[in-house]
Structure formats: structure tokens, C-alpha cells
């Protein structure tokens, strides 16, 4: 870079960050998890990635992202999620591109369903093998497929709940720190009030009230109860920066208050605010895993914590249900903390 060009803050921060091998390795691990989450239907599943059926192209694997994306023609033709046999019987001219690993995250594989695959073993016989890399659990559901699809749930919990918390925390903290006076007093007391509400208690109350709680309910509750630390730090940064010369200059030029807040002050206060946001992602993942481990999370989610619960219910006989999901949770939380 030429000497007469000033390096920006984020450019300089990235230059220093990438010199640290451990945080860079952690960042690579998180990016790998994101890639697994996006490509999970391509990696493990029993539905074709793309297939030609009765002269039209379909993408059945997309239903792993949302049940509403299920192609109705396969329900109408009574495939019952047995695509290899169904495609051959109902349309001999059909073709399909399959996932790399033919195992479903929500059901076992049966005899003859896929060439070369026998029925998944049950209970204590489901130890890791060449067919089931991480073993099986329950009635023969593959652990590896469950964990691959569980990556999507884990990352969603961290990013969505922390995103909600960051939005609320930055907004409340910025207003309290910038305006001060009675606005600061009211918002500070509100922050202290929310801090008195334990997130776990609120989640348990929500589960008791809602008939069928989903993972989105858990994300929302985690978000609206974990923003207080971000708000207090944002408030402190705004109180410090609003007295700086660049803010005084902006006011002298007639710049509006909201523009000063979010265009000038917020950009200069993001560096310390990103620290609790990153820790918040790891914390949200831990809380959700703990809830699922205790059997209090949504029953329809592919959570890693629910695999731990299955291992606990087996009286620790299925060691693979404790080791593989436990290591995944540990390394994910460690990666965010290292970043």
C-alpha cells in the first residue's frame, strides 16, 4: 500500500487479526459450519437434490429447509419418502442426482431402500461403522445426518437471537447515551428491569403457554432477554464519543441528530460492541443446547442438544451420542470465543 494512503480502521483490524493463527483457524471453522448448514441437503439426505420426474425438474431436497417447499406431486403419488423405488416404479425414464451420504436426519434407512445399504442398526447395536459414521440412535436414525442438518439449527439460533439482541441493544443504548437526561434515566431503569428476568425462566414459561413451541420462539425469547449487555456498552461508548470534535463539527454543519448517531458515532463505536455480540452467539448456542439436553426444547428441531439428551436417556450406553454432539458444541462455542 502506498505511504500516502491512510489505512482504514476495519482494514487495519483485519490485517492484525489475520496474523493470529488461532483466531483465523476459529474463523475458518465457523465458515465451514456455515457452508455445511447451507449445503446440508446436498451432503446427507434421502431426497434427490434434483430429479426429472414425468417430464419436469424438481428439487425435493429443498424441503429439508422448510416443509412448505415439499413438492406436492410426490405426496400425491404416494412416495412416502422412498424416492429411489418410487422414481423407478412410477416413471422408468426419470433420473436423479443424490446427496453424497444417503441417510435421513429424521428416520432410519430400511433394507433394500438404497443399493448396498442394509437397515440401520437399532439401540445398542448402532455404534459407529463404515455405513453410519457417527452411529445411530432411537429407531435407527443416523447421527451424522442429524448433526449435519443440526448445524443449520445451531447457526440460526446463534445469529438470529443475537441479531435481535444487537438490534434492540444498540438502539436502546444509543438513545440513552446520546440524548442523556431523562431519556437516559428511563432507558437505564428499563435495562435494569430486563436484566432481572432470567432467560431460562421466560423460555420455560413460553413453552408452558404455547402448545407447540418452535425453535423460532426460543430464538425470539433469547434475543429479547439478552440485549442488556450490548445496550450498556453502547450507551457508554455513545456518552464518550458524543463529546469528540468530529461530533461537534457535524453539529456545526447542521447535521441532524439521528444522522450523527447512526452515521458518525455508531460507526466509531462498533469495535467494542462487536465483542459482546460475538460472545452472545456462543451463549445462545449453549442455552439452546442445555434446554434440548434437559428435554425442554422444541421436539421437532435437529438440535445437537437433543442428541445429547438421547445419550443421557440411554444411561450412557450410547457413548457416540455424547461424544460427537458434545465435541461439536464445544468446538463451535470455543471458535466464537476465540474470534
Amino acid at each position: 500500500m502506498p505511504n500516502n494512503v491512510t489505512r482504514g480502521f476495519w482494514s487495519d483490524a483485519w490485517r492484525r487479526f489475520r496474523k493470529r493463527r488461532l483466531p483465523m483457524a476459529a474463523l475458518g471453522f465457523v465458515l465451514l459450519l456455515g457452508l455445511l448448514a447451507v449445503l446440508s441437503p446436498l451432503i446427507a439426505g434421502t431426497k434427490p437434490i434434483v430429479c426429472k420426474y414425468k417430464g419436469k425438474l424438481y428439487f425435493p431436497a429443498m424441503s429439508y429447509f422448510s416443509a412448505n417447499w415439499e413438492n406436492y406431486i410426490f405426496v400425491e403419488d404416494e412416495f412416502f419418502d422412498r424416492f429411489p423405488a418410487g422414481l423407478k416404479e412410477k416413471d422408468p425414464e426419470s433420473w436423479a442426482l443424490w446427496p453424497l451420504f444417503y441417510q435421513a436426519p429424521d428416520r432410519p434407512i430400511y433394507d433394500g431402500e438404497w443399493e448396498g445399504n442394509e437397515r440401520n442398526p437399532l439401540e445398542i447395536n448402532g455404534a459407529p461403522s463404515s455405513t453410519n459414521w457417527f452411529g445411530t440412535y432411537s429407531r435407527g436414525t443416523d447421527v451424522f445426518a442429524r448433526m449435519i442438518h443440526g448445524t443449520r439449527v445451531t447457526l440460526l439460533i446463534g445469529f438470529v437471537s443475537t441479531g435481535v439482541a444487537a438490534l434492540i441493544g444498540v438502539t436502546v443504548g444509543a438513545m440513552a447515551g446520546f440524548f442523556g437526561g431523562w431519556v437516559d434515566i428511563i432507558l437505564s431503569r428499563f435495562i435494569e428491569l430486563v436484566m432481572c428476568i432470567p432467560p431460562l425462566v421466560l423460555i420455560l414459561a413460553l413453552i408452558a403457554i404455547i402448545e407447540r413451541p418452535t425453535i423460532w420462539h426460543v430464538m425470539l425469547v433469547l434475543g429479547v432477554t439478552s440485549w442488556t449487555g450490548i445496550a450498556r456498552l453502547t450507551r457508554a461508548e455513545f456518552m464518550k464519543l458524543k463529546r469528540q470534535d468530529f461530533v461537534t463539527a457535524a453539529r456545526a454543519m447542521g447535521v441532524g441528530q439521528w444522522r450523527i448517531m447512526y452515521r458518525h458515532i455508531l460507526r466509531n463505536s462498533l469495535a467494542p460492541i462487536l465483542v459482546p455480540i460475538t460472545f452472545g452467539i456462543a451463549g445462545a448456542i449453549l442455552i439452546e443446547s442445555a434446554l434440548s439436553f434437559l428435554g425442554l426444547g422444541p421436539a421437532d428441531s435437529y438440535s445437537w442438544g437433543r442428541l445429547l439428551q438421547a445419550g443421557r436417556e440411554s444411561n450412557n450406553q450410547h457413548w457416540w451420542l455424547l461424544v460427537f454432539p458434545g465435541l461439536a458444541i464445544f468446538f463451535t462455542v470455543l471458535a466464537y470465543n476465540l474470534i
Side-chain angles (χ1 to χ4, degrees):
M1 180 177 292
N3 294 330
N4 61 341
V5 178
T6 303
R7 188 188 297 272
F9 172 78
W10 296 108
S11 176
D12 184 61
W14 170 246
R15 180 181 62 85
R16 287 182 290 160
F17 180 85
R18 65 187 182 185
K19 290 182 179 180
R20 300 175 177 268
R21 295 182 179 179
L22 203 55
M24 281 297 294
L27 180 61
F29 181 77
V30 171
L31 292 177
L32 176 62
L33 289 179
L35 193 63
L36 290 177
V38 173
L39 301 180
S40 55
L42 282 66
I43 299 173
T46 57
K47 300 178 181 181
I49 301 169
V50 57
C51 68
K52 186 176 182 180
Y53 179 66
K54 293 184 177 179
K56 294 184 178 180
L57 288 178
Y58 296 96
F59 302 88
M62 296 299 291
S63 63
Y64 284 121
F65 290 116
S66 173
N68 296 327
W69 295 353
E70 184 76 60
N71 300 116
Y72 183 72
I73 189 171
F74 300 118
V75 179
E76 191 177 49
D77 289 355
E78 299 180 348
F79 270 56
F80 301 114
D81 205 17
R82 308 297 195 272
F83 281 87
L87 290 173
K88 292 180 181 179
E89 292 175 4
K90 302 179 185 297
D91 184 7
E93 297 182 357
S94 65
W95 57 265
L97 179 63
W98 301 94
L100 296 175
F101 190 67
Y102 190 87
Q103 290 287 348
D106 51 0
R107 67 172 184 85
I109 301 300
Y110 299 99
D111 282 326
E113 181 178 340
W114 183 257
E115 185 178 354
N117 277 24
E118 299 179 353
R119 178 187 172 88
N120 285 352
L122 306 177
E123 303 299 337
I124 195 63
N125 297 319
S129 64
S130 59
T131 302
N132 307 106
W133 297 346
F134 289 179
T136 62
Y137 79 106
S138 185
R139 297 179 180 178
T141 305
D142 186 79
V143 174
F144 177 77
R146 187 85 170 189
M147 287 187 62
I148 289 293
H149 287 265
T151 305
R152 184 171 64 252
V153 176
T154 299
L155 294 186
L156 271 177
I157 289 168
F159 281 101
V160 173
S161 61
T162 308
V164 172
L167 180 63
I168 299 174
V170 170
T171 302
V172 173
M175 293 178 63
F178 184 80
F179 292 109
W182 62 270
V183 175
D184 182 29
I185 294 174
I186 293 176
L187 292 179
S188 295
R189 300 295 82 77
F190 177 61
I191 292 172
E192 293 168 359
L193 177 64
V194 176
M195 291 177 65
C196 297
I197 304 175
L200 285 176
V201 174
L202 191 58
I203 293 174
L204 294 178
L206 180 71
I207 293 174
I209 294 173
I210 300 178
E211 183 177 353
R212 295 188 63 183
T214 66
I215 199 67
W216 295 100
H217 293 110
V218 176
M219 295 178 197
L220 183 62
V221 173
L222 288 175
V224 299
T225 56
S226 57
W227 56 267
T228 52
I230 300 173
R232 297 180 75 180
L233 182 56
T234 305
R235 171 182 174 272
E237 286 295 311
F238 267 68
M239 292 181 70
K240 178 183 71 175
L241 292 174
K242 72 178 182 180
R243 299 183 178 91
Q244 298 295 318
D245 291 340
F246 70 89
V247 177
T248 305
R251 283 177 173 152
M253 294 174 63
V255 180
Q257 289 185 330
W258 294 103
R259 184 175 176 82
I260 291 175
M261 286 176 60
Y262 292 104
R263 176 70 176 174
H264 297 281
I265 301 181
L266 181 60
R267 292 176 63 181
N268 289 277
S269 63
L270 275 180
I273 294 175
L274 286 176
V275 177
I277 290 177
T278 308
F279 280 113
I281 295 174
I285 293 173
L286 274 179
I287 291 177
E288 192 282 329
S289 298
L291 285 171
S292 297
F293 175 72
L294 296 174
L296 302 175
D300 58 347
S301 72
Y302 295 154
S303 170
W304 292 344
R306 190 156 291 279
L307 288 173
L308 288 175
Q309 181 207 13
R312 178 177 62 88
E313 291 178 347
S314 68
N315 296 322
N316 300 331
Q317 292 181 343
H318 300 171
W319 59 265
W320 53 93
L321 292 179
L322 302 174
V323 172
F324 296 117
L327 287 176
I329 294 170
F330 171 77
F331 283 116
T332 302
V333 173
L334 178 63
Y336 279 111
N337 290 341
L338 287 175
I339 291 174

